Amino acid sequence: MRKNLFFLAIISLLLLVGCSQQETIQKTGDLVIPTFEYILENGYPVNDKGETYGPDMGNMMIIEEPDLILAQGENSIIGYAKKVELDGPKPKTPEEAVKLNNSPPREVPLYDVDGETIIDTYWIGKVNR
């Protein structure tokens, strides 16, 4: 799971490197992406449903991950994956943890910033294009 989150953080960083230092929220097409600077100053923005959204800041700072984490789907579409769906089931025993680690790839929906509109699929345990 950490490998997937690290991948998401790298994608987020690459997407936001070109953002202007003065911009607080970047719009890519219809997708709203907060910049690192905005998040550092204000925390993650919140959508109409009260969910936080943005790139996973990783080890850059001490802040919880947002509810909706920036990700690139299987069709190269940029959107948000829900943290709870990325995390998946929690193992209760070491045996369950081994079984989950060896499970086949699974897909989670990739959403628009509203957290409802599905725009693509993100795969866990499989390379997204």
Side-chain angles (χ1 to χ4, degrees):
M1 179 46 108
R2 282 284 161 211
K3 186 176 183 180
N4 287 328
L5 292 177
F6 176 75
F7 180 71
L8 288 173
I10 295 298
I11 288 174
S12 300
L13 182 61
L14 292 174
L15 286 171
L16 297 175
V17 163
C19 292
S20 166
Q21 295 295 320
Q22 284 112 6
E23 292 184 30
T24 55
I25 303 263
Q26 178 76 18
K27 269 195 99 162
T28 304
D30 291 331
L31 189 68
V32 178
I33 303 171
T35 62
F36 286 105
E37 292 81 12
Y38 178 88
I39 295 166
L40 288 171
E41 291 178 21
N42 306 294
Y44 287 106
V46 178
N47 66 14
D48 291 341
K49 291 175 50 183
E51 299 167 312
T52 55
Y53 63 90
D56 179 6
M57 299 294 277
N59 292 331
M60 294 180 66
M61 56 190 274
I62 300 173
I63 187 171
E64 285 190 38
E65 296 169 316
D67 301 315
L68 302 170
I69 300 173
L70 190 67
Q72 181 173 355
E74 71 175 333
N75 297 306
S76 298
I77 295 174
I78 306 296
Y80 291 99
K82 291 185 179 183
K83 181 183 179 328
V84 295
E85 293 174 351
L86 287 172
D87 289 346
K90 302 285 186 231
K92 295 178 180 71
T93 65
E95 292 79 19
E96 283 183 21
V98 169
K99 186 177 178 182
L100 283 172
N101 269 347
N102 295 324
S103 62
R106 64 183 176 89
E107 62 181 306
V108 296
L110 195 65
Y111 299 92
D112 194 355
V113 71
D114 64 10
E116 291 181 8
T117 306
I118 297 174
I119 58 175
D120 200 2
T121 299
Y122 179 80
W123 283 91
I124 297 171
K126 175 181 164 184
V127 175
N128 293 275
R129 296 182 199 150

